[in-house]
Structures are given as C-alpha cells and as structure tokens.
Amino acid sequence: MSVGIERLAVYVPSYALPMADLAAARGVAPEKYVQGLGVEQMAIAPPCEDVVTLAATAGARLLRAARIDPRSIGMLLVATETGVDHAKPVSIFVHELLGIGPRCRVYELKHACYAGTAALMTAADWVRAGGIRTRRALVIAADIARYELGSAGEPTQGAGAVAMLVGSEPQALVLGEESGTHAGNVYDFWRPLGRREAIVDGKYSVDCYLDALTGAFGAFRSLERPALEPDEALTDRLARLLYHTPFPKMAMKAHRRLVEVDWRAARERWAAVEGRLDEAAAASYRDLVAPSLVAASRIGNTYTASLYLCLASLIEAENRALGGRRLGLFSYGSGCCAEFFTGIVPSGVATVSDAGVATALRQRTLVDVEQYERFVRAGDVGGDTPAGFTGDFVFRGVRQDRREYQHAEALAA
Ligand code: CAA
C-alpha cells in the first residue's frame, strides 16, 4: 500500500521585510544577510494573525484545492512551537474553523521544528494501520519564528504554514517506510514558558544540527546499505535533497556535511573528491539542493513548516520533471530530534503541483523597518486587518476569556 502526501498547500503572511533594509537599520553589511545567510526577505505576521489563522488558512486552501469534504478527515494534527495555550491545542481551533466533523482524532504536536515530521510520520502510520479502510489525515505545520529585535537571530525570523493531506492515494510524495533518527537533550534553542521570543545559542545550534544530521543520515545509510552497490554513494540515488532550512546557508552547510559522510563511506568516490571536497560539495549543492530553497530565501524560517515549504516550492517549480524520482528529506528540531527519510514523487504530480507558493509570494506587500517593528511591538493581540491582508481568517483578540476568530470575508462585509 502506498502512503504519503496527496497534496500540499502553503500560506504565508501578507507582509515581508527586505533583508537589505533590515541590515541598513542594524548597521550591518547587507551581504551578511543576503549572501552570508542566504535570506532576501522575511515574512512578517501582523497582530491580527496568529498560528491558528496561519494553520487554518493553509488547511482551508488545501481542502478547497483537493475538493475534500472536511467531514471525511479522520485525523487532524497541527505541529507548532508557537502554541497559544498550555492546554488547548491549536488544532481544536483549526478543527472548528475548517468545519471538520466530530469523528476525528485532533491534537497538537511539539518538538521544536521536528514536530512537522513527527506529525507526518504519525499520520502515515495511522493511514497504514487502517488497512483497506480509506483513511485520510490533515497535517498542518505552522509557526511564527521570533527572536529579540536587534539580536543575531533577528535576520532568521519568518512565518508560514504548510498543510498536507496524508492518505493512500499520494500524488505529491510516496513516503519510504524506513527512516534514520537521532535524538539527545541539548540546549541549543528553547523558549521557556511565558517568553515570546526564543533563546538561542546560535553557533552551538548550527553544530547540534550538523551532529544530528550525521547521526540521522548515518542511521538511514546503514539501513539502505544492503541495497547499495559496493562503493555506491546514496546521494547518487537521490534526485534532490531537502533540508530543514532556518536560513538557506544552513542547508548549504548541511549538504556539505551529508555528502562528506556519504562519500567517505563510498571509497572510490571518496578517493576522487578527497582534496577538493568543498568544490565537489558546492557543485552537488547547486544541482541537488538549491532548487528547493527559492521560497525559503523569501520567507525565512517557518520552523515546523520549513522542510515542507521547501518540498512544496520544489514540486511547484519542477513538477512533472520530478515524476518517478526519489527525494531525500532531513528534518531537525532543536533540543533535539532529527530524522532522515526519502520519498518518491509519483509521475502524475503535475495535477497537484500548485501549492499556492508563487501566488502567495506575488500577493505580498513589502513593509519598511518601522512598520515591521510596529507589528512586532504590538504583539499578537488580534485586531483589524491592515491594508493588503490576504489571509482567510483573522484573530480578533481575547475577549471574555475566549480567543475570537473570524472569516476575513465576514469582516470585510
Ligand atoms: N559579506 C558576505 N558574507 C558575510 C559578511 C559579509 N559582509 N559578513 C558575514 N558574512 C557571513 C559569515 O561569514 C557567515 O557565513 P559562514 O557561516 O558561511 O562563515 C554568515 O555571514 C553569518 O555570519 P555570522 O556567523 O557572523 O552570523 P551571526 O553569528 O551574527 O549569526 C546565526 C548567525 C548564529 C545563524 C544567527 O542568525 C542565529 O542565531 N540564528 C538563529 C538560530 C538558527 O537559526 N540556528 C540554525 C540551526 S538550529 C535550527 O535549525 C532550528 C531552528 O530552526 C532554529
């Protein structure tokens, strides 16, 4: 039985800040952000947008595009590290806004940026366990990445949501059944209760990411070894490699590490690249990784959604050329847990390739640093929609101990 992603839909906030403007305001060379980190713009959520509206808008667009009756969804999982309540999950608000029926397993998952993958794997296992009964899950990864104004992390913010329909008729990605995993308690990035912005040990977080990649990819490679020819590199069997992307330069560093691990294990390949590893890894990065990073460089970090934003953007850009080809995917969540897995893009992918990425990017309004700081300082208190708002749902604020949400159309009427 093939199980995987039937279709994806992306939603990003309607506002974006050019990184060159942020660099000028912070007295930093623009090249540091644009070339050094690889980020051109970052998505900014206005006060009337929270993780619920992000997730619900992505979910609503997915259900509309797939023409799925919301009541046929038997499992709704929302992965986020931007939760709005310690007890009530984001998923139950989304459940109501999308009109999903009562016969549904609904919950929120957390493990930093890894939770999107935890949700996808849980949903895939649930579909497989249904056997011949058709089961369909809705998985949504949604986040607002926030660091202190003026901090080193500030240029690596962003926001967005990716919704994925998981079922037994996967037209976007058939998931492989094996994964390589890696976990361990590290303090690279965390957000203690009551804090709005994350605390991060930036350089250490990069090292933790790379160590976790070595562990997860090494574990996957061992599982795959019996299928490989002696001295064959696993990367030669993959058409594209997608990474959790807090900023695109991180994906470049990750790929350099991954090919080193892979090629070292393939002795002939290693002999051929030894002494010019950086050059060979850079060429491999241009072919296998760069095509999936276009959206991330214009949206920034979307935490749980980041890897799946790369997937949606890649499928949208390359669609039928990926048909029948195998992708490698690496998910990392600080703290930490990581997973390397693969999937095959079905030949009919063109019918589901529009995930709304290009449309969302086209519809955005660029803001200046002053406006960005106004949004950040106001906090996610809810309220009216600013000019140019394109989301389907609006957070109106907390009133009489309830979080109030409204359809944007109803508000405009
Ligand atoms: N022209 C071109 N490049 C320049 C430059 C210039 N004028 N000035 C600096 N650069 C380059 C640097 O050489 C560096 O590139 P390399 O890493 O390839 O050497 C790059 O720009 C960044 O410079 P710094 O390393 O000096 O930047 P920094 O220390 O100020 O901050 C950061 C970088 C640590 C990633 C910081 O942005 C941060 O803390 N971000 C949040 C944490 C994060 O994203 N961690 C990633 C791994 S953890 C994870 O993935 C989970 C998650 O989502 C958070």
Side-chain angles (χ1 to χ4, degrees), residues 29 31-32 35-37 113 147 152-156 188-189 200-203 205-206 209 244 246-247 249-250 253 301 303 332-334:
E31 295 79 15
K32 173 170 175 179
Q35 277 110 49
L37 295 173
C113 309
Y147 301 93
E154 187 183 31
T156 63
D188 59 336
F189 166 108
V200 61
D201 185 341
K203 304 272 185 230
S205 72
V206 170
Y209 177 124
H244 166 60
F247 49 93
K249 179 62 95 50
M250 187 70 236
K253 289 178 193 286
N301 196 354
Y303 289 162
Y332 175 72
S334 289

